[in-house]
């Protein structure tokens, strides 16, 4: 019995040491947020005191939106192992988790729609090759410096080709009221154009909130779409049966029982038919669900665009993602219902390939000079097992949670109990031998 207790105590200590080694070996600057139920890793948009490198320095996604490695009990979602490996921090697509982009995810300096909707870029059309322009959330880039720019005579902006930076972007940390929150600021300007972004990520219980404040610091108005890509997988399982999405939209005036959506990638030759790999259904109330029926092979890409012009569609931009490991993630953006203007719903797309199932509700932001708008991603993580009872206590035995301040009391009590038990065991063995 005493030897068993000794080995248990040694095992616990080894787990603690292993966690410290693992944390120290993480090569990218990050902060891990904890709650009693879960943890999430925020990759910083700047180098910290350790001089670790940045996880993402590409020219597409907002640098302050790299949030992933979400651990809930024994389960993980928004991990890194299934998306664009080996990781290249400078490649435009190499985001993680909630990586977001200002723009519509297509080539060209503008996006389709009424008015002048920019593709997340400011000053692109007026700049000459070799001159700077702004990509909101990224910084100042050099026009014509991307590889695809050199072979395209149209002079279009290439959203997914790496541009060179005109100057390095600057991000600064803001004071946070608690250890389960991180906040930072980024701003950039170029002539009469400019923007300012403040981002706050907070974890409390099973709720994560990502609050973004965007200000127009220039002298010219601009409007742009914004979306979070949601690089979603569960426990590194490839996207296939067990994955699904409940979309927060309803279609009315549709005669067929199946929802209508466009798949422009098929005609352009880079996407396959979503219906081959998923069942997309519509309930009597018009609500739409998607369940994967077949594992997506390597190299296959799927994209569906809802909000068809031929239908009457109601949406609040919400969705619920389901992973085979039982975890579900529900996201909503409260400001879509509470604010009379800014933001609006612009599009509602779903993208999928082997390494991600990505609902992409897009917001449309319209800002006059000196105007500010705000929106909040409210994400709720749930599991079929009631984590309020089992998960917090059991997670104390996981290496990833040994440094969680929420478990300090239990860690201390467990350590004292183990040490006492080990001492009692050794003492009884010693006395027993003497007798």
């Amino acid at each position: 019995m005493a030897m068993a207790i000794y080995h248990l105590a040694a095992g616990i200590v080894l787990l603690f040491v292993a966690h410290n080694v693992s944390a120290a070996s993480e090569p990218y600057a990050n902060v891990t947020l904890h709650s009693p139920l879960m943890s999430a890793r925020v990759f910083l948009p700047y180098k910290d005191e350790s001089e670790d490198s940045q996880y993402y320095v590409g020219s597409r996604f907002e640098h302050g939106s790299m949030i992933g490695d979400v651990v809930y009990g024994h389960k993980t979602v928004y991990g890194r192992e299934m998306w664009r490996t080996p990781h290249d921090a400078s490649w435009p697509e190499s985001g993680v988790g909630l990586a977001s982009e200002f723009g519509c995810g297509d080539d060209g300096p503008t996006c389709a729609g009424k008015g002048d909707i920019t593709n997340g870029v400011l000053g692109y059309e007026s700049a000459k090759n070799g001159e700077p322009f702004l990509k909101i959330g990224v910084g100042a880039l050099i026009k014509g410096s991307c590889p695809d720019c050199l072979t395209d005579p149209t002079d279009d902006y290439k959203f997914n080709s790496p541009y060179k930076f005109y100057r390095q972007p600057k991000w600064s940390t803001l004071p946070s009221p608690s250890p389960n929150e991180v906040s930072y600021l980024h701003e950039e300007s170029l002539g009469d154009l400019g923007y300012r972004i403040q981002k706050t990520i907070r974890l409390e219980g099973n709720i994560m909130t990502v609050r973004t404040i965007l200000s127009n610091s220039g002298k010219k108005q601009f409007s742009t779409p914004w979306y979070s890509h949601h690089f979603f997988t569960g426990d590194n399982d490839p996207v296939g049966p067990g994955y699904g999405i409940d979309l927060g939209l309803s279609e009315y005036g549709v005669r067929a029982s199946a929802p209508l959506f466009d798949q422009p990638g098929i005609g352009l030759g880079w996407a396959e038919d979503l219906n081959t790999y998923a069942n997309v259904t519509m309930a009597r109330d018009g609500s739409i669900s998607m369940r994967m029926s077949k594992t997506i092979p390597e190299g296959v890409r799927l994209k569906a665009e809802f909000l068809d012009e031929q239908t009457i569609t109601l949406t609040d931009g919400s969705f619920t993602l389901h992973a085979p490991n039982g975890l579900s993630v529900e996201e909503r953006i409260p400001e879509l219902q509470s604010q009379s203007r800014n933001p609006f719903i612009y599009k509602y797309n779903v993208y999928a390939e082997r390494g991600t199932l990505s609902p992409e509700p897009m917001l449309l932001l319209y800002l006059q000079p000196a105007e500010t708008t705000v929106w909040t991603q409210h994400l709720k993580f749930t599991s079929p097992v009631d984590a309020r009872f089992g998960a917090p206590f059991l997670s104390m035995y996981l290496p990833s949670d040994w440094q969680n301040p929420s478990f300090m009391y239990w860690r201390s009590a467990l350590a004292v109990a183990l040490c006492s038990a080990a001492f009692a065991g050794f003492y009884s063995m010693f006395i027993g031998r003497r007798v």
Side-chain angles (χ1 to χ4, degrees), residues 6 25 32 35 39 74 101 104 123 147 164 169 177 216 246 290-291 322 334 359 374 396 429:
Y6 169 77
S25 63
T32 301
S35 81
S39 65
H74 298 267
E101 179 182 13
C104 49
K164 295 180 181 179
N216 183 351
D246 298 322
M290 178 185 302
R291 295 295 183 268
H322 305 281
V374 58
M396 292 190 300
M429 291 173 60

Side-chain angles (χ1 to χ4, degrees), residues 13-290:
V13 171
L14 286 174
L15 283 176
F16 180 72
V17 173
H19 171 64
N20 285 330
V21 172
S22 175
S25 63
E26 172 61 57
Y28 303 108
N30 73 90
V31 170
T32 301
L33 304 180
H34 290 275
S35 81
L37 293 179
M38 55 185 291
S39 65
R41 183 166 289 162
V42 180
F43 293 95
L44 302 176
Y46 52 83
K47 291 185 178 180
D48 59 8
E49 293 79 2
S50 66
E51 292 300 314
D52 289 336
S53 58
Q54 291 173 235
Y55 184 81
Y56 184 80
V57 292
S59 58
R60 175 180 174 183
F61 294 118
E62 177 193 350
H63 288 191
S65 64
M66 300 297 138
I67 308 162
D69 292 351
V70 176
V71 180
Y72 185 100
H74 298 267
K75 303 170 182 178
T76 301
V77 289
Y78 291 116
R80 291 177 278 168
E81 290 78 5
M82 293 295 294
W83 182 254
R84 299 300 183 262
T85 56
H87 180 67
D88 180 354
S90 63
W91 186 248
E93 287 186 318
S94 296
V96 63
L98 303 185
S100 62
E101 179 182 13
F102 287 91
C104 49
D106 288 315
D107 286 341
T110 60
C111 300
K114 296 180 180 179
D116 185 15
I117 302 176
T118 181
N119 195 2
V121 293
L122 305 177
Y124 182 89
E125 293 177 287
S126 61
K128 298 178 181 179
N129 283 342
E131 294 181 345
F133 67 96
L134 300 183
K135 170 74 171 180
I136 302 175
V138 175
L141 307 174
I142 301 175
K143 183 174 181 178
S145 63
C146 73
D148 290 351
C149 302
L150 303 177
T151 58
D152 187 358
T154 64
D155 200 34
D156 273 349
Y157 166 68
K158 305 298 181 183
F159 82 105
N160 209 28
S161 191
Y163 283 84
K164 295 180 181 179
F165 280 82
Y166 178 73
R167 53 176 170 256
Q168 288 302 307
K170 295 182 179 180
W171 292 77
S172 57
T173 305
L174 298 176
S176 296
S178 65
N180 62 327
E181 178 179 301
V182 62
S183 184
Y184 29 73
L185 178 70
H186 164 63
E187 50 189 331
E188 188 61 271
S189 61
L190 190 66
D192 292 337
L193 304 169
Y195 66 88
R196 182 177 185 267
I197 295 175
Q198 180 177 330
K199 208 166 193 76
T200 302
I201 302 100
R202 182 178 179 84
L203 188 62
E204 189 167 1
N206 65 333
I207 304 294
M208 180 193 297
T209 56
V210 183
R211 189 170 189 258
T212 304
I213 304 175
L214 175 65
S215 301
N216 183 351
S217 60
K219 298 179 181 179
K220 296 182 178 180
Q221 69 86 21
F222 65 79
S223 58
T224 180
W226 172 93
Y227 69 100
S228 179
H229 200 296
H230 288 281
F231 293 110
F232 181 84
T233 52
D235 290 341
N236 303 324
D237 291 328
V239 175
Y243 282 95
I245 314 175
D246 298 322
L247 305 178
L249 52 80
S250 299
E251 290 183 353
Y252 296 91
V254 181
R255 294 182 180 179
S257 59
L260 296 178
F261 53 87
D262 294 327
Q263 300 187 75
I266 296 178
L268 296 174
W270 61 262
E272 294 190 17
D273 188 357
L274 175 66
N275 295 296
T276 304
Y277 300 93
N279 295 320
V280 186
T281 60
M282 183 170 60
R284 291 184 178 181
D285 62 357
S287 59
I288 299 171
S289 297
M290 178 185 302

Side-chain angles (χ1 to χ4, degrees), residues 289-301:
S289 297
M290 178 185 302
R291 295 295 183 268
M292 302 306 298
S293 59
K294 183 178 178 182
T295 301
I296 303 176
E298 289 284 357
V300 171
R301 295 183 290 173

